[in-house]
Amino acid sequence: MQGSTETVISQERNGQGRNGIAAALARQPLVILALAAAGLTLALSITVTMPIGPMYWDHYIYLDAANRILDGQIPSVDFFAPVGGLGYYLFAGWLYLFPNGHPLLLSSWSLLTVTAPLMALVILDVQKRSPAIAYGLLLPFLIFSLLPFNTGDFYPYPGSDGFGIYNRQVCQLLYVLAAALVFVRGWKTLAAVTALAMLALLFIKVTGVVAGLVLCLMAFVAGRLPLRAAIIGGAVFFAVIGLMELTSGMVSAYATDILSLVVINDTSLLPRLLQAASLNFGIVVASCLLGLVLFIQGFQAFSNATRSVFAKPGFQASAEVFDQSFLWIASFIAAGLLFESQNTGSQAFIFLWPLLLAILIETYRNKGSSVAFAAVAILALSAAIPPVATVTQKAARAWIGSVNNTPLAHQNLKTMGAVGMRDMLSQRAQRLEANYMAYRPAYQALAEAGELPSFLLYSDFEFQTLWLQNADAVISAIRTFEAANKVRFETVMTIDFTNPFAWLLDRHAPKYIAIGADPYRAVPPPGERVNAAVAGVDLALYPTCPPTTARLKLLELYAPALAADHHRITLTPCYDAFVRNGITASP
């Protein structure tokens, strides 16, 4: 009997202990953020095999950029980049800290260096009033930050989203900024988060800071961003920009790159806005309908506020006019459409959630469990749920499906080669490679006619698989060539979209040459210093399985600089190379 009593008391104490821990966690959402960070550290301490995915090679750009940065090159100053340099610097730092981490995960998660501390500031402010709201902001943030997947579908087969990384990062920064503008009450915290988030947006992608500016202007005119917070935040923003320009010249060089991109991509904005709206049709329509419902429900308050501003002009009265839920929705949708109009791959409109959460809370307080609240809740959730559902579904499909994948066999690809694919895709890649080699003139003619072998060639898994296999083979061929000729290629470039070879070979990439080399969107016509850099490169690799329109265009751009001092050889059946004459005698 005594033993039974002690057992019961022990169970009660254990239960109270567990309840106490649960209660403590409920009041401290930052513990969850810290646990997530610890989990990332563990995940990056080993090399995780990722399933191959559409446009998977996009993230190799980060390896090229990191190799250049660790060589002392500065983005925009020493090489042309399609976006800002912050993401590349963060990746380079994480690659140094986690050499075994998979490059795709490193490039996606490295932004947490910025977003996690900023989100912690937001949570610290919000949890003082409501831990539940703090969790409501934190948990979606963690889902979008930890699952490196886009909200849009560009390929039917499940796999890793290796593209649109900096677009996802901008959306995650906009989420933190939106959470601060809507929920943070401490003006010092708001000033700090706003300034740092806007700086990060600027140096991730310039269209991100345009979208962030729309959010900040809305918060300012609505009285949510106090004047002193705006002034101090703006002062910090411009002071950091000025300091960076004085010390490195990066800002003016970045501006020059942006202008070059504008010249290359001179299409009208309206078609891009319509495309962005169509790609995110469900979210846009649900948000617009929500704005209409909120306008109808709040029309009387809006009318009263408008009359008050004429009767008693002033900033406070003006702020009451603008601080209307339907105007907030309109500004957020406008910001999202502006940003998404320039994107392929993103976590589109995830930053709507903090605003939608605030609208749900305010409507429930005012309307209670009513039809009016139900209408708002249905429309708000219709806009909020699709991004979460899409990202989690794509992650589940990719990683559950990867149990049937076979890891890529390679010798030279380091962590970049930690990728798996279905056996049937590997077999298809080998059959296509044989076809590319046997019928190369036909594929050359197709490329010269302006067509690809497949409209979705760069998304096709077999193309991405074959690219990796050929990269592994050409590195072996380079080392064999070097040993046979007693030479060493110190500078390596590719006449292709991406150049991870300098990193894979522990060599150097030449200065001034664009990374992420899409000749139709992100490679300006080479000037004098680019031509000089190309002319001085030791080895320029040119893939030929298959010839593509982009590869032909890049060869056309760089061939004049290679003509005088380089000779062309065949390294493998799928790679030609331009070797500098000063390295070895012509065969």
Side-chain angles (χ1 to χ4, degrees):
M1 186 68 180
Q2 179 67 28
S4 299
T5 303
E6 290 176 351
T7 300
V8 170
I9 293 173
S10 175
Q11 290 173 345
E12 289 178 350
R13 287 175 177 171
N14 289 336
Q16 290 173 355
R18 288 191 293 269
N19 291 336
I21 293 172
L25 283 176
R27 294 190 300 270
Q28 296 293 331
L30 286 181
V31 174
I32 303 300
L33 182 58
L35 291 174
L40 291 187
T41 302
L42 292 175
L44 293 174
S45 63
I46 58 174
T47 304
V48 178
T49 299
M50 300 293 291
I52 200 80
M55 292 179 273
Y56 186 78
W57 63 350
D58 270 35
H59 80 276
Y60 305 160
I61 296 171
Y62 285 85
L63 292 167
D64 185 11
N67 189 68
R68 292 168 181 262
I69 287 169
L70 295 174
D71 257 357
Q73 294 189 33
I74 301 174
S76 296
V77 175
D78 293 318
F79 62 91
F80 184 92
V83 292
L86 177 60
Y88 302 138
Y89 277 106
L90 294 175
F91 174 82
W94 280 49
L95 183 64
Y96 178 80
L97 293 173
F98 303 104
N100 294 322
H102 195 286
L104 178 53
L105 297 179
L106 288 170
S107 58
S108 299
W109 292 346
S110 58
L111 186 72
L112 285 164
T113 309
V114 177
T115 54
L118 295 183
M119 197 65 195
L121 291 175
V122 173
I123 297 302
L124 278 172
D125 183 275
V126 174
Q127 72 179 11
K128 298 172 186 176
R129 299 182 300 277
S130 173
I133 294 176
Y135 269 109
L137 296 172
L138 176 63
L139 295 180
F141 166 78
L142 290 177
I143 289 174
F144 294 122
S145 298
L146 300 183
L147 299 181
F149 290 88
N150 300 320
T151 53
D153 290 312
F154 288 89
Y155 203 71
Y157 209 75
S160 300
D161 280 347
F163 66 101
I165 293 169
Y166 42 74
N167 295 328
R168 294 200 297 263
Q169 291 178 336
V170 167
C171 291
Q172 291 159 21
L173 280 164
L174 289 174
Y175 182 102
V176 175
L177 178 62
L181 294 173
V182 173
F183 282 102
V184 168
R185 295 295 175 263
W187 73 269
K188 293 179 181 178
T189 299
L190 189 55
V193 174
T194 301
L196 295 175
M198 291 292 283
L199 279 168
L201 285 166
L202 175 61
F203 290 106
I204 292 290
K205 191 175 183 182
V206 71
T207 49
V209 81
V210 174
L213 182 61
V214 173
L215 303 188
C216 290
L217 286 175
M218 180 64 223
F220 179 74
V221 298
R224 297 288 186 92
L225 181 61
L227 179 61
R228 56 183 174 177
I231 291 174
I232 292 176
V236 171
F237 179 85
F238 287 107
V240 172
I241 289 177
L243 182 62
M244 293 179 64
E245 176 61 19
L246 289 173
T247 55
S248 68
M250 181 189 293
V251 178
S252 58
Y254 182 30
T256 301
D257 285 356
I258 292 168
L259 291 176
S260 299
L261 288 172
V262 170
V263 171
I264 299 170
N265 300 275
D266 58 353
T267 56
S268 173
L269 179 61
L270 181 59
R272 289 179 175 272
L273 289 172
L274 293 175
Q275 175 181 290
S278 66
L279 289 173
N280 302 281
F281 184 77
I283 295 174
V284 173
V285 168
S287 299
C288 290
L289 290 175
L290 175 60
L292 178 61
V293 169
L294 292 170
F295 174 74
I296 294 171
Q297 293 182 2
F299 181 75
Q300 187 61 50
F302 178 63
S303 299
N304 294 338
T306 305
R307 285 194 293 268
S308 297
V309 79
F310 288 106
K312 189 178 180 181
F315 183 79
Q316 184 61 39
S318 299
E320 290 178 1
V321 173
F322 286 103
D323 191 18
Q324 307 292 328
S325 295
F326 67 90
L327 292 178
W328 279 90
I329 282 286
S331 65
F332 273 52
I333 290 297
L337 288 175
L338 280 172
F339 179 65
E340 295 303 326
S341 68
Q342 307 299 315
N343 292 345
T344 300
S346 178
Q347 289 182 339
F349 292 96
I350 64 170
F351 61 91
L352 280 175
W353 172 243
L355 176 61
L356 295 174
L357 179 60
I359 289 171
L360 286 170
I361 294 169
E362 181 182 16
T363 305
Y364 185 79
R365 286 172 179 169
N366 295 335
K367 306 292 184 179
S369 301
S370 62
V371 173
F373 172 73
V376 169
I378 290 171
L379 292 172
L381 293 177
S382 296
I385 290 176
V388 178
T390 300
V391 167
T392 52
Q393 181 192 33
K394 291 179 73 174
R397 288 188 69 202
W399 289 334
I400 293 174
S402 68
V403 299
N404 295 318
N405 288 354
T406 300
L408 176 73
H410 67 92
Q411 295 178 325
N412 306 300
L413 299 182
K414 300 182 180 179
T415 53
M416 192 181 89
V419 63
M421 70 288 297
R422 299 287 179 93
D423 289 339
M424 64 176 182
L425 293 175
S426 295
Q427 293 171 3
R428 176 172 167 80
Q430 298 310 309
R431 292 165 181 162
L432 284 173
E433 181 181 40
N435 197 273
Y436 294 149
M437 291 186 291
Y439 302 101
R440 181 171 171 180
Y443 289 101
Q444 181 78 16
L446 190 64
E448 290 173 352
E451 294 294 338
L452 294 172
S454 164
F455 189 72
L456 295 176
L457 178 69
Y458 304 126
S459 293
D460 289 336
F461 289 13
E462 60 270 20
F463 174 86
Q464 298 296 332
T465 301
L466 184 58
W467 195 96
L468 285 165
Q469 291 171 337
N470 284 330
D472 185 49
V474 80
I475 291 175
S476 294
I478 291 170
R479 288 176 172 152
T480 299
F481 182 92
E482 288 180 324
N485 292 275
K486 296 181 172 56
V487 297
R488 177 180 170 87
F489 300 115
E490 291 296 340
T491 53
V492 180
M493 68 171 285
T494 55
I495 305 172
D496 200 10
F497 174 69
T498 184
N499 177 29
F501 292 98
W503 176 75
L504 292 170
L505 288 162
D506 298 314
R507 311 294 169 86
H508 309 285
K511 287 186 176 182
Y512 310 128
I513 298 172
I515 65 172
D518 181 345
Y520 300 102
R521 298 180 62 242
V523 182
E528 183 177 343
R529 70 174 189 173
V530 171
N531 284 328
V534 173
V537 76
D538 291 344
L539 182 71
L541 298 171
Y542 182 63
T544 57
C545 289
T548 66
T549 53
R551 288 166 176 170
L552 289 183
K553 181 67 173 176
L554 288 171
L555 182 60
E556 179 185 335
L557 290 174
Y558 295 135
L562 294 168
D565 295 324
H566 293 75
H567 60 277
R568 184 168 177 171
I569 65 172
T570 297
L571 280 174
T572 72
C574 286
Y575 263 97
D576 288 355
F578 293 85
V579 178
R580 188 164 63 84
N581 294 333
I583 294 293
T584 183
S586 299

